[in-house]
Amino acid sequence: MYGSNEKILRVNLSTGLSTEETLSEDFYRLYPGGKALAGYILLNEMPAHIEPFSPENVLVIANGLMTGAPVSTATRYVVSARSPLTMGYGESEAAGFWGPELKMAGFEAIVVTGRAEKPVYLWIHDGQVEIRPATHLWGRLTAEVQETIRTELGDEKIRVLQIGIAGENLVRYAGLTNDLRHFNGRTGMGAVMGSKNLRAIAVRGKQRYQILAHDPVALMALGSKLAKGVRDNPQSWDLQQRGTPGLVEPLNAAGMLPTRNFHQGAFEGVDEIKWDAYEKQLLTARRSCYACAVRCKREVAIDGQVSQYGGPEYETVGSFGPNCGVSDLQAIARANELCNAYMLDSISTGSTIAFAMECFEHGLIGLDDTDGIELRFGNSEAMLAMIERIARRQGFGNLLAEGSKRAAEKIGGDAHFFAMQVKGQELAMHEPRGKYNVGMGYAISEIGADHLVVTHDTMLVNPESLTFKKAQVLGIRNAQPARSLNDEKVEQFYILEKWNSLEKVIGYCFFGPAPRSFIQADDVLASINAATGWNMTLQEALQIGERATNMARVFNVREGFSRKDDRLPERMFQPLENGALQGQNMQHDEFEQALTRLYELKGWDPQTSVPGRKRLEELSLGWAADLLERPD
Amino acid sequence: MKLHLGGNLPFFAPKRQKDLEIPLQGSARLSEVLAKLGIPVSEVYLTVLNGEQVIMEETRVENSDEVRLFPPIDGG
């Protein structure tokens, strides 16, 4: 088989044994890595109701088909398990260099089961795997751990994927990092790894992707063409120039910058945190991921000192900036560093702190609860002080480490109105009241609120725009308003979700394929075909995406999730308090009608959201339909 | 007329600059001013004239005006 090492590494931390498994081409064509491979393994190797912190939780780390190819943005891998934050399907993607290095070391994926008696780390190099002691690494910051591992293994080029102190302490939204600046942030996968006493996975490999490819010449020519095209496309050019921090000013102008826990859509302090300020005060360099010409990563210095952890991306600027009412850019950069050093999801951390700020402002909690810290909007010192407390589960941080949903349940009263979460995962820094399909994505995603479910509505509003024209090949017909959930918007959601899901399967970053960015759909297919020789059509590619989403849905159905869990925080149905969208809110009946329509398009039961057998069988998931019918 | 190009709109400017000064005689249609500069109105999501949000197609501008333009924004 081309395009794949065909091998999965299985490590049982309870027994200390590791084995290899070979994938067949027939299997791999249906489940070509990433989200698809993870969903398949979780459904087939774990019964329902496994406690997320128990040894029985299965942790899957899976490259995509294209991960490590000499093509810009083909860099992503997925980390997946039952989530301790949502108690449902957990999953987070990241890029950088680690995924490609694992592929070069000879493996498509690692499946970790059991629990080590004492802290350990894995060392994988050119087809070999060792389980090494990590007691000396436990309790240390991520930068120190990476350096120590590289030194003791004698190679500065080793790529290290690791959890931090937050994962060791089972913070429900602890994440993983590779190279200290690429993050599997969401759904608490770091806590699952921590519960297994697994601190890190170090990888070194030398086998280049080209050896695996069906037509390496065509693949490299395509990669070369795409690399040259980065600066000729307005999306990818801007990702290089400004990167994601460039989103702050336009979102604010459009009234869609989440401010003070989603009360407002425009922030009076925006001039102090927009790209111009970031460039002047923080930026030292632009960096890239493996073989990627986009170069969207930012390097920064904080108070004049170069940071080991990279600069804050938009989500972090948003969640520690306007959403906490903070306009101090140095404080925001410091918050980013702390999250990365302890390895906390910056979105959930910032959002949970904003939740606590609102509780404090309303008198639901007081100084006695917060260790004497004035947790008010705008208090950047209080915000920073909470981060370490959360990571170490100290004082009030121990409650916040549970996430805003559980913290709200504990605090009681009106607190649940202040938790901006879906299924237990906090909303990202995009305002649904300005982009209704983004709202639908938050509501319906199997991982809880996720902003990367579909192309954002605003990109497809103008039929003359470049992004709309590039979306038409996917089946997008007529431009529709951003603030609508009419039938055609729902249809667009259905199509775009499949395309984004495909990216999560085969390992493309969101900043690669159109309509979001510069790689046309034709070229995505051409890359798959140069890698594998499969002659894949767009229809088959979209089916791969739909298959992966359905497996995640089946996982959640087994855990008791239902239509009632596909909802949005009540605040989304209340008017925005300021900015260009002042007075705007979503409507319950419009949302419910759209949800019913979406389930119909997906072939799911409109009352319960359970996928119907007919659609599952069309997607070669008859076995998943059997699973659903089996009594628990 | 002062023109500020937000987001990725500088991509379309003659020198990829984000702030331009455009001398105008009398009043002109904003869409025509942009067409002369090669900035496609189809890439503009939000038009702000002297601090107020306006509709591009209906907007006329003069030499003393300040215009800020923003593109649509996706996630990241």
Side-chain angles (χ1 to χ4, degrees):
Chain A
M1 164 172 38
Y2 291 103
S4 170
N5 287 303
E6 304 171 17
K7 283 195 290 185
I8 300 179
L9 176 65
R10 289 177 175 282
V11 179
N12 184 327
L13 292 176
S14 298
T15 62
L17 291 176
S18 53
T19 55
E20 282 176 23
E21 184 191 323
T22 306
L23 303 173
S24 77
E25 186 164 11
D26 286 345
F27 173 88
Y28 199 61
R29 186 145 184 180
L30 292 173
Y31 312 98
K35 188 184 173 83
L37 185 58
Y40 184 91
I41 291 172
L42 291 185
L43 275 178
N44 283 287
E45 300 185 17
M46 257 172 70
H49 313 314
I50 291 297
E51 174 50 50
F53 294 145
S54 73
E56 287 73 40
N57 198 0
V58 176
L59 181 69
V60 178
I61 303 165
N63 275 330
L65 167 66
M66 298 307 301
T67 307
V71 174
S72 293
T73 80
T75 52
R76 306 265 270 196
Y77 64 96
V78 143
V79 182
S80 190
R82 188 179 188 207
S83 166
L85 185 61
T86 66
M87 301 303 276
Y89 174 78
E91 177 201 292
S92 188
E93 296 84 39
F97 293 80
W98 189 90
E101 195 80 28
L102 179 70
K103 196 126 175 174
M104 292 193 272
F107 297 108
E108 291 304 321
I110 308 172
V111 181
V112 183
T113 52
R115 171 189 290 152
E117 252 183 70
K118 292 197 180 135
V120 295
Y121 75 96
L122 303 184
W123 166 220
I124 299 169
H125 51 111
D126 292 309
Q128 309 288 317
V129 56
E130 284 171 51
I131 301 177
R132 294 176 60 88
T135 321
H136 59 305
L137 303 174
W138 205 255
R140 292 169 67 188
L141 299 181
T142 50
E144 293 168 42
V145 168
Q146 177 165 279
E147 188 48 44
T148 305
I149 288 177
R150 284 175 168 167
T151 303
E152 77 187 33
L153 295 176
D155 187 346
E156 279 303 302
K157 296 204 180 115
I158 288 170
R159 300 293 175 179
V160 178
L161 175 67
Q162 61 174 304
I163 63 170
I165 289 164
E168 295 174 4
N169 289 329
L170 310 184
V171 177
R172 290 192 188 267
Y173 42 91
L176 296 86
T177 177
N178 78 79
D179 272 315
L180 312 178
R181 51 194 28 77
H182 308 281
F183 308 101
N184 301 92
R186 313 235 65 197
T187 68
M189 298 295 94
V192 173
M193 191 157 147
S195 74
K196 296 183 176 306
N197 277 329
L198 179 59
R199 174 68 202 226
I201 305 177
V203 185
R204 187 77 168 99
K206 307 203 177 82
Q207 172 201 266
R208 290 273 174 278
Y209 190 102
Q210 285 81 312
I211 293 176
L212 304 173
H214 174 251
D215 188 343
V217 171
L219 191 61
M220 290 185 62
L222 179 62
S224 185
K225 173 189 104 163
L226 292 172
K228 290 198 184 91
V230 166
R231 290 219 267 263
D232 294 334
N233 173 285
Q235 303 301 334
S236 46
W237 175 79
D238 190 55
L239 285 167
Q240 188 175 105
Q241 289 301 303
R242 267 163 288 276
T244 65
L247 272 54
V248 171
E249 193 188 12
L251 283 174
N252 187 73
M256 294 191 237
L257 183 67
T259 298
R260 293 185 185 85
N261 206 28
F262 284 87
H263 268 286
Q264 297 163 321
F267 183 48
E268 71 284 359
V270 70
D271 285 346
E272 289 158 77
I273 59 166
K274 64 188 183 187
W275 171 249
D276 299 54
Y278 193 116
E279 187 177 28
K280 274 199 199 80
Q281 290 181 42
L282 297 178
L283 187 77
T284 58
R286 293 170 173 80
R287 267 216 223 160
S288 194
C289 294
Y290 179 80
C292 183
V294 177
R295 221 167 357 125
C296 77
K297 300 296 288 180
R298 314 287 86 170
E299 297 297 321
V300 297
I302 304 171
D303 289 327
Q305 262 213 303
V306 173
S307 175
Q308 294 176 288
Y309 294 103
E313 297 287 346
Y314 166 70
E315 287 294 327
T316 311
V317 175
S319 73
F320 286 106
N323 206 44
C324 282
V326 167
S327 57
D328 180 346
L329 190 57
Q330 300 290 334
I332 292 167
R334 184 76 189 119
N336 182 59
E337 265 205 331
L338 289 169
C339 284
N340 301 346
Y342 291 114
M343 208 41 256
L344 285 162
D345 176 25
S346 61
I347 299 174
S348 285
T349 305
S351 186
T352 301
I353 291 173
F355 153 79
M357 285 172 166
E358 187 158 6
C359 289
F360 193 97
E361 300 262 1
H362 277 86
L364 297 183
I365 54 178
L367 290 169
D368 283 346
D369 302 294
T370 63
D371 316 323
I373 294 169
E374 281 264 343
L375 257 182
R376 295 189 180 281
F377 287 118
N379 189 344
S380 58
E381 275 164 38
M383 182 180 80
L384 291 173
M386 285 321 305
I387 298 173
E388 183 173 4
R389 277 170 167 74
I390 290 169
R392 297 189 184 278
R393 280 188 174 273
Q394 284 166 349
F396 190 55
N398 190 35
L399 177 62
L400 297 189
E402 293 291 292
S404 59
K405 179 174 183 229
R406 286 180 174 77
E409 283 160 9
K410 191 86 196 298
I411 292 169
D414 284 342
H416 65 101
F417 284 120
F418 309 147
M420 298 297 117
Q421 51 82 20
V422 180
K423 302 181 177 75
Q425 173 154 270
E426 287 73 20
L427 266 58
M429 297 299 119
H430 287 275
E431 174 56 73
R433 288 167 285 188
K435 330 189 233 196
Y436 286 11
N437 267 352
V438 170
M440 180 60 82
Y442 282 161
I444 198 176
S445 166
E446 285 76 24
I447 70 164
D450 174 13
H451 61 298
L452 298 175
V453 178
V454 290
T455 310
H456 288 207
D457 313 50
T458 44
M459 307 298 274
L460 302 173
V461 158
N462 191 319
E464 300 306 310
S465 67
L466 294 167
T467 43
F468 183 84
K469 289 185 172 153
K470 284 187 288 174
Q472 289 180 291
V473 66
L474 299 178
I476 304 301
R477 291 182 290 119
N478 302 299
Q480 299 293 328
R483 295 190 304 279
S484 164
L485 283 174
N486 64 32
D487 281 357
E488 200 165 337
K489 275 301 280 291
V490 175
E491 210 182 287
Q492 290 182 2
F493 185 99
Y494 174 58
I495 294 169
L496 295 167
E497 186 185 25
K498 292 192 269 191
W499 184 245
N500 274 25
S501 178
L502 171 75
E503 291 171 0
K504 295 170 185 174
V505 172
I506 63 176
Y508 270 106
C509 168
F510 289 107
F511 296 161
R516 169 66 178 93
S517 194
F518 70 115
I519 304 177
Q520 307 294 339
D522 286 350
D523 282 338
V524 173
L525 293 172
S527 72
I528 294 172
N529 293 326
T532 60
W534 283 341
N535 280 327
M536 184 176 291
T537 60
L538 179 62
Q539 199 204 2
E540 184 182 346
L542 290 172
Q543 256 202 342
I544 287 171
E546 189 171 11
R547 184 177 302 118
T549 313
N550 271 270
M551 284 189 285
R553 178 61 49 158
V554 169
F555 186 99
N556 277 8
V557 166
R558 269 195 343 175
E559 299 300 346
F561 286 79
S562 168
R563 176 175 176 137
K564 61 171 169 36
D565 302 296
D566 290 346
R567 29 75 61 197
L568 282 166
E570 191 53 32
R571 186 155 292 170
M572 300 305 120
F573 302 95
Q574 288 159 4
L576 270 164
E577 292 173 14
N578 74 351
L581 297 178
Q582 183 173 356
Q584 293 285 336
N585 52 270
M586 297 183 77
Q587 304 290 338
H588 278 293
D589 46 10
E590 185 182 15
F591 176 81
E592 295 299 329
Q593 268 172 46
L595 190 60
T596 302
R597 176 87 190 106
L598 183 56
Y599 288 168
E600 283 165 6
L601 288 173
K602 286 167 170 274
W604 295 355
D605 182 298
Q607 309 295 333
T608 62
S609 85
V610 177
R613 175 173 280 280
K614 180 162 181 285
R615 181 60 57 93
L616 289 175
E617 281 178 358
E618 283 164 13
L619 294 168
S620 309
L621 291 177
W623 59 265
D626 295 340
L627 266 183
L628 283 177
E629 284 168 17
R630 207 175 292 161
D632 263 342
Chain B
M1 184 192 90
K2 283 202 175 71
L3 178 64
H4 172 77
L5 299 174
N8 69 355
L9 291 176
F11 176 86
F12 302 101
K15 295 194 183 114
R16 292 199 169 168
Q17 68 269 58
K18 64 177 183 320
D19 289 296
L20 294 88
E21 288 258 3
I22 298 141
L24 292 179
Q25 315 278 22
S27 102
R29 294 183 59 189
L30 177 57
S31 51
E32 281 171 17
V33 173
L34 296 176
K36 284 206 187 86
L37 289 167
I39 297 168
V41 301
S42 56
E43 301 303 317
V44 176
Y45 187 72
L46 192 70
T47 308
V48 179
L49 171 63
N50 300 327
E52 301 270 326
Q53 196 180 338
V54 294
I55 297 175
M56 166 77 72
E57 292 69 29
E58 296 169 5
T59 301
R60 296 193 72 88
V61 286
E62 295 173 351
N63 206 40
S64 57
D65 285 331
E66 270 191 47
V67 174
R68 300 169 73 80
L69 303 177
F70 296 95
I73 289 298
D74 200 299

